[in-house]
Amino acid sequence: GAGVSQTPSNKVTEKGKYVELRCDPISGHTALYWYRQSLGQGPEFLIYFQGTGAADDSGLPNDRFFAVRPEGSVSTLKIQRTERGDSAVYLCASSFALLNEQFFGPGTRLTVL
Amino acid sequence: EDQVTQSPEALRLQEGESSSLNCSYTVSGLRGLFWYRQDPGKGPEFLFTLYSAGEEKEKERLKATLTKKESFLHITAPKPEDSATYLCAVESGSARQLTFGSGTQLTVLP
């Protein structure tokens, strides 16, 4: 079946603008995760959902970052008042159950000018 | 706080030259150790999950092993298509997210 998909694949924005990044998980996966990856580093956890609710948002760097998953499937990561330091690849992953391996999407490369 | 350290940062091998990548970890209650492969411009691709010390898993030219403090990814007779960044991650305690190392960038020369 289809893997995790993310849109857009690339997003260029200006400092101070608002952006939304979308993630479509593998069908039937109940858990969904957002990570952020900077060049030369491993992915860094942001938030995870079990169903519709954010079970752990401890990785969100500040209140400019917010994510939703209203129907327990597609998720949107929202970033307000973007800063140049927000530039990174934003990865989404999903899994069937909490202990199982996470399957990653291709990522959205965000560039804040 | 969970910590994952991978070494070396970069490794260049000749085709057929076997070697090992190291992943050292410090966690409070390991639930699983994961190996991923990441090609440039792509998301991480799942390779293995190891759950307890002494466990081993194999896939083609790759074998992953686990002790109480570290994991090794052994690459036997590598080919140029094995070139990628290999990431190690842990899941621990009550936390559900993965904590990743910085990865080992492997280059296999023909």
Side-chain angles (χ1 to χ4, degrees), chain A residues 33 35 37 40-43 45 48 56 58 91 98-99 101-102 104-106, chain B residues 31 34 36 38 41-44 46 49 51 87 91 96-98 100-102:
Chain A
Y33 307 78
Y35 293 83
Q37 187 174 26
Q41 301 297 313
F45 170 75
Y48 102 91
D56 184 351
S58 62
L91 294 164
L98 298 179
L99 199 58
E101 56 268 13
Q102 297 177 24
F104 283 81
Chain B
R31 292 171 56 88
F34 302 80
Y36 285 84
Q38 187 172 28
K42 297 189 176 181
F46 171 77
T49 309
Y51 293 105
L87 295 165
E91 182 181 26
R96 298 297 185 241
Q97 70 269 26
L98 298 179
F100 282 85
S102 295

Side-chain angles (χ1 to χ4, degrees), chain B residues 37-59:
Chain B
R37 168 190 171 129
Q38 187 172 28
D39 293 299
K42 297 189 176 181
E45 175 190 346
F46 171 77
L47 293 174
F48 302 108
T49 309
L50 302 168
Y51 293 105
S52 58
E55 189 175 359
E56 298 183 353
K57 288 193 177 173
E58 290 188 61
K59 179 180 179 181

Side-chain angles (χ1 to χ4, degrees), chain A residues 28-31 33 50 94-102, chain B residues 91:
Chain A
H29 279 192
T30 57
Y33 307 78
Q50 178 59 30
S94 68
S95 68
F96 268 120
L98 298 179
L99 199 58
N100 286 359
E101 56 268 13
Q102 297 177 24
Chain B
E91 182 181 26

Side-chain angles (χ1 to χ4, degrees), chain A residues 25-108:
Chain A
I26 294 171
S27 178
H29 279 192
T30 57
L32 184 147
Y33 307 78
W34 284 99
Y35 293 83
R36 177 168 71 174
Q37 187 174 26
S38 300
L39 192 63
Q41 301 297 313
E44 179 185 26
F45 170 75
L46 295 176
I47 185 171
Y48 102 91
F49 292 86
Q50 178 59 30
T52 60
D56 184 351
D57 64 358
S58 62
L60 295 177
N62 52 59
D63 60 6
R64 296 186 297 105
F65 288 75
F66 188 71
V68 295
R69 195 186 184 199
E71 297 179 356
S73 178
V74 171
S75 176
T76 304
L77 178 65
K78 308 180 180 191
I79 310 174
Q80 299 177 321
R81 305 183 303 280
T82 52
E83 299 178 356
R84 293 193 180 88
D86 298 335
S87 296
V89 175
Y90 289 81
L91 294 164
C92 176
S94 68
S95 68
F96 268 120
L98 298 179
L99 199 58
N100 286 359
E101 56 268 13
Q102 297 177 24
F103 295 91
F104 283 81
T108 294

Side-chain angles (χ1 to χ4, degrees), chain B residues 51-69:
Chain B
Y51 293 105
S52 58
E55 189 175 359
E56 298 183 353
K57 288 193 177 173
E58 290 188 61
K59 179 180 179 181
E60 296 181 353
R61 296 176 292 282
L62 301 177
K63 183 170 80 171
T65 62
L66 181 65
T67 73
K68 290 185 177 179
K69 295 183 178 180

